Amino acid sequence: MSLKALDYESLNENVKNCQYAVRGELYLRASELQKEGKKQIIFTNVGNPHALGQKPLTFPRQVVALCQAPFLLDNPNVGMIFPADAIARAKHYLSLTSGGLGAYSDSRGLLGVRKEVAEFIQRRDGYPRLTSFLGWLDSGSSATVSTLLSYISLLGGTLVPYYLEETDNWGLDVNNLRQSVAQARSQGITVRAMVIINPGNPTGQCLSEANLREILKFCCDERLVLLGDEVYQQNIYQDERPFISSKKVLMDMGAPLSKEVQLISFHTVSKGYWGECGQRGGYFEMTNIPPRTVEEIYKVASIALSPNVSAQIFMGLMVSPPKPGDISYDQFVRESKGILESLRRRARIMTDGFNSCKNVVCNFTEGAMYSFPQIKLPPKAIQAAKQAGKVPDVFYCLKLLEATGISTVPGSGFGQREGVFHLRTTILPAEEEMPEIMESFKKFNDEFMSQYGDNFGYSRM
């Protein structure tokens, strides 16, 4: 019997081989347990702040509500419900559209919002823009990265992995980068781009300025475009190593590098103290990308016609929040500061909790939304996983899920050194719930190590 076009056996093998561990086996099993209703599931597998109780910021929701229902602006009593600055901003953004939020925008996004993004980057990095903003709004950074790198997996491209140095606070060793690229080229692979996530996902580190300089110099030497995922730049939980954008470091390095290194930087409304994951809004900025290449990227972007228009307004509000003296300023600062201070405390609670557990070591979460502890699995556990047909850290995380309801992501889903095992969890559960969650983890881990350990143990790193 002949196969039909969309029978599973007819699908492209590259599609079948595509993996996304964050919504993989663990998540599916957690969803099953949730449907059964026998156990409360704590979904720490994905950076989804509002799903774990984070409250939305008031001001941006007020502005977007007015934009979504512009007839409210005609109501003479609107000022009794919404503050004057929210009303003014809603009118401003509606004036930028060609028919309200229900109309397509330019494929690059609303020009007025793009200008606000350009001004934000100028304030952040300290460099005036010498030309018009070469960056576009998008429906979330994930969508943009997918557009720019769609050739990798689904079109049969090759991922060239590199490892971070766990004992050096997840720093990046450029010598290892050179070895990875050299090995790939020896196999006939044409290496075109390098991706960094800063602050890090899943590792939670902030790259130092010195490390960023090394990376940019490496990309220049190897003729690689650097894709800088900087969506967690608001999520910083220590003062010693602040976020510094790749663009600023590149400009600080001066010519010739500042005019040669090709860089695409990403930001989003999904992370930070906004956490508006469901809105799907972001931007990307292109540096030193030739005009004809930009035209081709524009052509691909145009296929989708328009980024999410309401998300573009969220982005405008993120890069241009209330200013001192505005009616909504004090409340905005109070809400955003409260979220970040709580996240900082949660990062410490989680790191300390992991480090109190047998055969678990964890670097402090300097930024982003994740902890990435190393689980030193006993040989008997590794053998049991093999017999069950599971990767060892998947085996551990499934046992953790079944025992506690905590849904995590195995480190193998991100790539890790041979024989080393991790899990990724967000630091997003409510602060008041965090001690109980960590106690539940510790109890499970103690029992797991007792079951499989035979007095097995490692010294601390």
mmCIF file of all heavy atoms in Angstrom, residues 93-115:
data_model
loop_
_atom_site.group_PDB
_atom_site.id
_atom_site.type_symbol
_atom_site.label_atom_id
_atom_site.label_comp_id
_atom_site.label_asym_id
_atom_site.label_seq_id
_atom_site.Cartn_x
_atom_site.Cartn_y
_atom_site.Cartn_z
ATOM 1 N N TYR A 93 0.429 55.256 20.539
ATOM 2 C CA TYR A 93 0.665 54.025 19.785
ATOM 3 C C TYR A 93 -0.404 53.788 18.731
ATOM 4 O O TYR A 93 -0.096 53.311 17.628
ATOM 5 C CB TYR A 93 0.770 52.834 20.743
ATOM 6 C CG TYR A 93 2.075 52.826 21.499
ATOM 7 C CD1 TYR A 93 2.094 52.888 22.893
ATOM 8 C CD2 TYR A 93 3.293 52.787 20.831
ATOM 9 C CE1 TYR A 93 3.288 52.900 23.589
ATOM 10 C CE2 TYR A 93 4.492 52.806 21.522
ATOM 11 C CZ TYR A 93 4.486 52.862 22.897
ATOM 12 O OH TYR A 93 5.676 52.897 23.573
ATOM 13 N N LEU A 94 -1.647 54.136 19.028
ATOM 14 C CA LEU A 94 -2.689 53.980 18.016
ATOM 15 C C LEU A 94 -2.419 54.879 16.804
ATOM 16 O O LEU A 94 -2.722 54.510 15.667
ATOM 17 C CB LEU A 94 -4.055 54.295 18.622
ATOM 18 C CG LEU A 94 -4.613 53.227 19.572
ATOM 19 C CD1 LEU A 94 -5.860 53.740 20.277
ATOM 20 C CD2 LEU A 94 -4.933 51.938 18.812
ATOM 21 N N SER A 95 -1.804 56.032 17.060
ATOM 22 C CA SER A 95 -1.491 56.943 15.948
ATOM 23 C C SER A 95 -0.408 56.386 15.034
ATOM 24 O O SER A 95 -0.268 56.835 13.885
ATOM 25 C CB SER A 95 -1.055 58.304 16.500
ATOM 26 O OG SER A 95 0.256 58.243 17.052
ATOM 27 N N LEU A 96 0.353 55.417 15.542
ATOM 28 C CA LEU A 96 1.423 54.824 14.730
ATOM 29 C C LEU A 96 0.911 53.743 13.793
ATOM 30 O O LEU A 96 1.611 53.352 12.850
ATOM 31 C CB LEU A 96 2.498 54.208 15.641
ATOM 32 C CG LEU A 96 3.188 55.137 16.642
ATOM 33 C CD1 LEU A 96 4.188 54.349 17.483
ATOM 34 C CD2 LEU A 96 3.886 56.287 15.931
ATOM 35 N N THR A 97 -0.285 53.225 14.059
ATOM 36 C CA THR A 97 -0.815 52.113 13.280
ATOM 37 C C THR A 97 -1.587 52.615 12.065
ATOM 38 O O THR A 97 -1.938 53.801 11.968
ATOM 39 C CB THR A 97 -1.747 51.235 14.132
ATOM 40 O OG1 THR A 97 -2.959 51.953 14.391
ATOM 41 C CG2 THR A 97 -1.097 50.858 15.458
ATOM 42 N N SER A 98 -1.887 51.693 11.166
ATOM 43 C CA SER A 98 -2.670 52.048 9.978
ATOM 44 C C SER A 98 -4.129 51.648 10.113
ATOM 45 O O SER A 98 -4.846 51.617 9.133
ATOM 46 C CB SER A 98 -2.074 51.352 8.746
ATOM 47 O OG SER A 98 -2.067 49.940 8.925
ATOM 48 N N GLY A 99 -4.554 51.363 11.344
ATOM 49 C CA GLY A 99 -5.937 50.961 11.552
ATOM 50 C C GLY A 99 -6.135 50.256 12.874
ATOM 51 O O GLY A 99 -7.027 49.412 13.006
ATOM 52 N N GLY A 100 -5.312 50.585 13.856
ATOM 53 C CA GLY A 100 -5.429 49.943 15.153
ATOM 54 C C GLY A 100 -4.692 48.624 15.223
ATOM 55 O O GLY A 100 -3.979 48.220 14.292
ATOM 56 N N LEU A 101 -4.887 47.896 16.326
ATOM 57 C CA LEU A 101 -4.145 46.656 16.546
ATOM 58 C C LEU A 101 -4.602 45.528 15.640
ATOM 59 O O LEU A 101 -3.911 44.514 15.516
ATOM 60 C CB LEU A 101 -4.274 46.228 18.015
ATOM 61 C CG LEU A 101 -3.211 46.790 18.962
ATOM 62 C CD1 LEU A 101 -3.221 48.304 18.964
ATOM 63 C CD2 LEU A 101 -3.412 46.260 20.374
ATOM 64 N N GLY A 102 -5.746 45.691 15.013
ATOM 65 C CA GLY A 102 -6.223 44.646 14.118
ATOM 66 C C GLY A 102 -5.676 44.728 12.712
ATOM 67 O O GLY A 102 -5.980 43.867 11.869
ATOM 68 N N ALA A 103 -4.839 45.718 12.438
ATOM 69 C CA ALA A 103 -4.268 45.887 11.097
ATOM 70 C C ALA A 103 -2.810 45.443 11.070
ATOM 71 O O ALA A 103 -2.088 45.603 12.046
ATOM 72 C CB ALA A 103 -4.374 47.347 10.666
ATOM 73 N N TYR A 104 -2.388 44.870 9.937
ATOM 74 C CA TYR A 104 -0.973 44.544 9.772
ATOM 75 C C TYR A 104 -0.128 45.806 9.927
ATOM 76 O O TYR A 104 -0.537 46.909 9.568
ATOM 77 C CB TYR A 104 -0.700 43.990 8.376
ATOM 78 C CG TYR A 104 -1.239 42.618 8.085
ATOM 79 C CD1 TYR A 104 -1.892 42.363 6.872
ATOM 80 C CD2 TYR A 104 -1.074 41.561 8.974
ATOM 81 C CE1 TYR A 104 -2.368 41.093 6.566
ATOM 82 C CE2 TYR A 104 -1.552 40.301 8.679
ATOM 83 C CZ TYR A 104 -2.203 40.067 7.470
ATOM 84 O OH TYR A 104 -2.677 38.825 7.173
ATOM 85 N N SER A 105 1.081 45.603 10.413
ATOM 86 C CA SER A 105 2.078 46.673 10.370
ATOM 87 C C SER A 105 3.070 46.346 9.259
ATOM 88 O O SER A 105 2.985 45.297 8.613
ATOM 89 C CB SER A 105 2.817 46.774 11.708
ATOM 90 O OG SER A 105 3.752 45.708 11.864
ATOM 91 N N ASP A 106 4.012 47.204 9.053
ATOM 92 C CA ASP A 106 5.145 46.891 8.190
ATOM 93 C C ASP A 106 5.803 45.611 8.702
ATOM 94 O O ASP A 106 5.817 45.342 9.905
ATOM 95 C CB ASP A 106 6.143 48.054 8.234
ATOM 96 C CG ASP A 106 7.312 47.879 7.267
ATOM 97 O OD1 ASP A 106 8.208 47.066 7.584
ATOM 98 O OD2 ASP A 106 7.331 48.557 6.234
ATOM 99 N N SER A 107 6.369 44.829 7.812
ATOM 100 C CA SER A 107 6.992 43.564 8.211
ATOM 101 C C SER A 107 8.143 43.766 9.188
ATOM 102 O O SER A 107 8.501 42.853 9.929
ATOM 103 C CB SER A 107 7.497 42.802 6.980
ATOM 104 O OG SER A 107 6.421 42.470 6.132
ATOM 105 N N ARG A 108 8.706 44.955 9.195
ATOM 106 C CA ARG A 108 9.791 45.257 10.140
ATOM 107 C C ARG A 108 9.271 45.798 11.463
ATOM 108 O O ARG A 108 10.057 45.975 12.399
ATOM 109 C CB ARG A 108 10.734 46.281 9.505
ATOM 110 C CG ARG A 108 11.474 45.766 8.289
ATOM 111 C CD ARG A 108 12.076 46.877 7.468
ATOM 112 N NE ARG A 108 11.037 47.698 6.840
ATOM 113 C CZ ARG A 108 11.253 48.623 5.908
ATOM 114 N NH1 ARG A 108 12.493 48.843 5.500
ATOM 115 N NH2 ARG A 108 10.256 49.318 5.395
ATOM 116 N N GLY A 109 7.971 46.047 11.550
ATOM 117 C CA GLY A 109 7.391 46.606 12.761
ATOM 118 C C GLY A 109 7.039 48.072 12.597
ATOM 119 O O GLY A 109 7.404 48.722 11.607
ATOM 120 N N LEU A 110 6.299 48.606 13.547
ATOM 121 C CA LEU A 110 5.890 50.012 13.526
ATOM 122 C C LEU A 110 7.109 50.918 13.624
ATOM 123 O O LEU A 110 7.943 50.758 14.526
ATOM 124 C CB LEU A 110 4.940 50.296 14.689
ATOM 125 C CG LEU A 110 3.606 49.526 14.679
ATOM 126 C CD1 LEU A 110 2.920 49.660 16.033
ATOM 127 C CD2 LEU A 110 2.712 50.023 13.554
ATOM 128 N N LEU A 111 7.199 51.875 12.728
ATOM 129 C CA LEU A 111 8.373 52.743 12.680
ATOM 130 C C LEU A 111 8.576 53.480 13.994
ATOM 131 O O LEU A 111 9.707 53.593 14.502
ATOM 132 C CB LEU A 111 8.234 53.743 11.526
ATOM 133 C CG LEU A 111 9.378 54.753 11.374
ATOM 134 C CD1 LEU A 111 10.707 54.039 11.142
ATOM 135 C CD2 LEU A 111 9.068 55.723 10.231
ATOM 136 N N GLY A 112 7.497 53.985 14.588
ATOM 137 C CA GLY A 112 7.627 54.721 15.839
ATOM 138 C C GLY A 112 8.185 53.878 16.966
ATOM 139 O O GLY A 112 8.983 54.358 17.790
ATOM 140 N N VAL A 113 7.793 52.612 17.039
ATOM 141 C CA VAL A 113 8.320 51.719 18.072
ATOM 142 C C VAL A 113 9.775 51.380 17.779
ATOM 143 O O VAL A 113 10.607 51.289 18.699
ATOM 144 C CB VAL A 113 7.462 50.447 18.184
ATOM 145 C CG1 VAL A 113 8.047 49.493 19.217
ATOM 146 C CG2 VAL A 113 6.024 50.803 18.558
ATOM 147 N N ARG A 114 10.095 51.197 16.511
ATOM 148 C CA ARG A 114 11.490 50.922 16.154
ATOM 149 C C ARG A 114 12.392 52.080 16.576
ATOM 150 O O ARG A 114 13.531 51.875 17.013
ATOM 151 C CB ARG A 114 11.605 50.653 14.662
ATOM 152 C CG ARG A 114 10.930 49.349 14.228
ATOM 153 C CD ARG A 114 10.812 49.243 12.729
ATOM 154 N NE ARG A 114 12.106 49.241 12.089
ATOM 155 C CZ ARG A 114 12.321 49.631 10.821
ATOM 156 N NH1 ARG A 114 11.327 50.083 10.096
ATOM 157 N NH2 ARG A 114 13.532 49.573 10.317
ATOM 158 N N LYS A 115 11.901 53.298 16.469
ATOM 159 C CA LYS A 115 12.675 54.452 16.923
ATOM 160 C C LYS A 115 12.864 54.415 18.435
ATOM 161 O O LYS A 115 13.943 54.760 18.943
ATOM 162 C CB LYS A 115 11.965 55.745 16.506
ATOM 163 C CG LYS A 115 12.034 56.033 15.010
ATOM 164 C CD LYS A 115 11.318 57.343 14.664
ATOM 165 C CE LYS A 115 11.437 57.654 13.174
ATOM 166 N NZ LYS A 115 10.708 58.903 12.816
#
